[in-house]
Amino acid sequence: MCGITGWVSFDSDPADRREIIDAMTETMACRGPDDVGVHLRPHAALGHRRLAIIDLPGGRQPMTLDTPAGDVAIVYSGETYNFAELRAELAAAGHRFRTDSDTEVVLRAYLQWGDALVDRLNGMYAFAIWDQRTERLLMVRDRMGIKPFYYFPTRDGVLFGSEPKAILANPLAARTVDLAGLRELFAFTKAPGWAMWQGMSEVLPGTLVTVDRNGIRSRTYWRLRAVAHPDGRDDTVATVRELLTDIVDRQLIADVPRCVLLSGGLDSSALTGLAAQRLARDGERVRTFSVDFLNQEQNFVPDEMRDTPDSPFVREVAALVGSEHRDVMLNPEHLADPGVRRRVIRARDIPAGLGDMDNSLFLLFEAIRAESTVALSGESADEVFGGFRWFHDEVVRKADTFPWMAFSSMLTESHWNILNPELRPRLRLPEYIADQYATAVAEVEHLDGEDELEHRMRTICHLHLTRFVRQLLDRKDRMSMAVGLEVRVPFCDHRLVEYVYNTPWSLKTFDGREKSLLRHATEHVLPRSVVERVKSPYPSTQDPGYAAALQRQAKEILDQRDSPVFDLVDRDWVRRVSGLDPVGLDPFVRAGLDHVIDLHTWVEMYAPTLRLD
């Protein structure tokens, strides 16, 4: 896992501005603390920061291969899990390797198959290849969008980077945010290509983008397709088990310490059990980490999303598999620390407003990084197998909007309430969400003969796999890479996604529960309590001390009467809720306060030009 960046200019030579490409590369230092490299050629400059995972001495980048017609260079972030098979195939075709890294496999695959290499890769990746022979840049992103990748077209070329901050380090990219950028920040639809910053876009998942003297073009090389599912229940469960076993085996490959993120839920516990089983064959114990909050278990109160605390289930799983386990315990002071918030916003480049859930994830990853470099996460299992509660809510199923919004208005209500009254009507958020929903639904393929329920559930699954999960994957990557931790997501293997996506809803819920296929495919490595546990999302602190800290910080913002954040937020709302009793403070209000403080911190750090007309 690494950080990549670059600058292509056909009317000038970026090599003449070495200090700029160095600055762009330096913004990726957290993503790649182990090494730095720059590749300079006429009209192109590539920068790379390396987090060494495989072939520690040999995988330096940018990596270059010479050909009679000119050299070809790559900057690569991520992992290719089938690199051993591809390496053998390329060696049989005559390639001679000088390293053991997957980066060289990808580069030689380009020399062998050109752009068609994308169809052969299994992994999580974002990479760019500059082909000096044709003066052409190729940018590629993995199928599910696990690894982030952004680009900014210029008058005579393009800027690109793993994160927006790399692009913003180039003076050609203005730090401008307009209404279009702000809408998605408050809408939570994950509009394809959105990057908030005016003129900047994401390389879409499953897409390759080419840049040459004729301009910029993109091509989708993978998308979810509707195909008939041929297998019965037993065969489907067996196939899911076989796929997951192979996926976990592949994703445990690393030349550095690795671990599993364990929450005590079905998803992470299944990965822990499978990883423990695999490592035991080599005489190793699996290492596990979980996050918890001071006194959360003793004082836990069930809410709309969480019936039980995580800790008892974590202990049962750790005991069953014999893991080397560590709880990362956090208190309100950790979570509300303004320094932590600044580091989180710096990691994400946006004021996401998720507050303690972002801050705790960052602190968890920071603690893990002191002992491991690679972690496996259960992220995306709910999207793949249909685990969220709203998948099983009849009212939500029939709602003519994104399911996560129909289930809980917290995503919108708590964040819209904070908006400056003059700004809110300009954003036209309800109309924007409706347009995004219509666009997303129109992209779904269906099979002839689907009944009403199957038709609707395929649509809901598609929305989660192409919209909702991308928000969570971006969050996971940015939080982990900010501390130099590579987080792998086995449930995003495209083979598993394709197979489960096309299983009928009746198979996904054949035992009358959520995630039936996953539960039965992995019950052999799980304690009975976890097999029977109801879905519980990522934890959030219930300590009123956190709410009180937010109110104190909000009052400090109110004292800054000329702060540009009040062009975005309602000063009267902030003043009113800052005086409420923090004990029992409405979670909608607390979420709104978190977003206000995020916005204020972001404005201070990034000094964006806001175009709100």
Side-chain angles (χ1 to χ4, degrees), residues 482-495:
V483 297
L485 176 70
E486 175 174 293
V487 174
R488 299 176 177 179
V489 279
F491 291 112
C492 277
D493 186 294
H494 72 278
R495 299 170 298 161

Side-chain angles (χ1 to χ4, degrees), residues 309-342:
D310 289 339
S311 298
F313 300 94
V314 168
R315 289 193 292 269
E316 284 199 51
V317 175
L320 178 67
V321 304
S323 72
E324 185 180 334
H325 181 73
R326 178 186 168 194
D327 290 311
V328 177
M329 192 67 66
L330 304 175
N331 61 41
E333 289 73 28
H334 291 133
L335 297 172
D337 183 348
V340 171
R341 188 180 297 268
R342 290 178 69 86

Side-chain angles (χ1 to χ4, degrees), residues 42 73 129 144 157 160 172 216 221 282 318 380 397 415 489 579 610:
I129 295 175
M144 292 294 291
F160 69 84
L172 293 176
I216 300 176
Y221 68 88
D282 295 332
S380 82
R397 285 176 177 175
H415 298 278
V489 279
L610 299 174

Side-chain angles (χ1 to χ4, degrees), residues 550-611:
L550 295 183
Q551 291 175 310
R552 289 193 297 271
Q553 292 173 28
K555 290 175 182 176
E556 293 173 2
I557 295 172
L558 286 169
D559 290 339
Q560 302 175 36
R561 300 195 58 83
D562 296 329
S563 172
V565 76
F566 292 113
D567 292 334
L568 302 174
V569 305
D570 183 351
R571 187 191 301 270
D572 291 336
W573 183 91
V574 178
R575 181 179 295 110
R576 178 174 60 82
V577 302
S578 296
L580 298 176
D581 187 348
V583 177
L585 188 69
D586 189 302
F588 290 83
V589 172
R590 198 186 84 172
L593 279 172
D594 256 321
H595 210 171
V596 167
I597 299 167
D598 268 10
L599 285 161
H600 177 263
T601 306
W602 172 74
V603 166
E604 281 193 334
M605 292 175 64
Y606 284 82
T609 299
L610 299 174
R611 293 185 176 172

Side-chain angles (χ1 to χ4, degrees), residues 248 251 259-262 267-269 271-272 361 365 374-381 472-473 476 486-492 538:
V248 170
Q251 297 198 19
C259 65
V260 181
L261 307 178
L262 176 59
D267 316 335
S268 66
S269 300
L271 294 183
T272 299
L361 190 65
F365 288 157
V374 171
L376 269 60
S377 164
E379 194 78 271
S380 82
L472 301 183
L473 290 173
K476 181 84 71 180
E486 175 174 293
V487 174
R488 299 176 177 179
V489 279
F491 291 112
C492 277
Y538 184 83

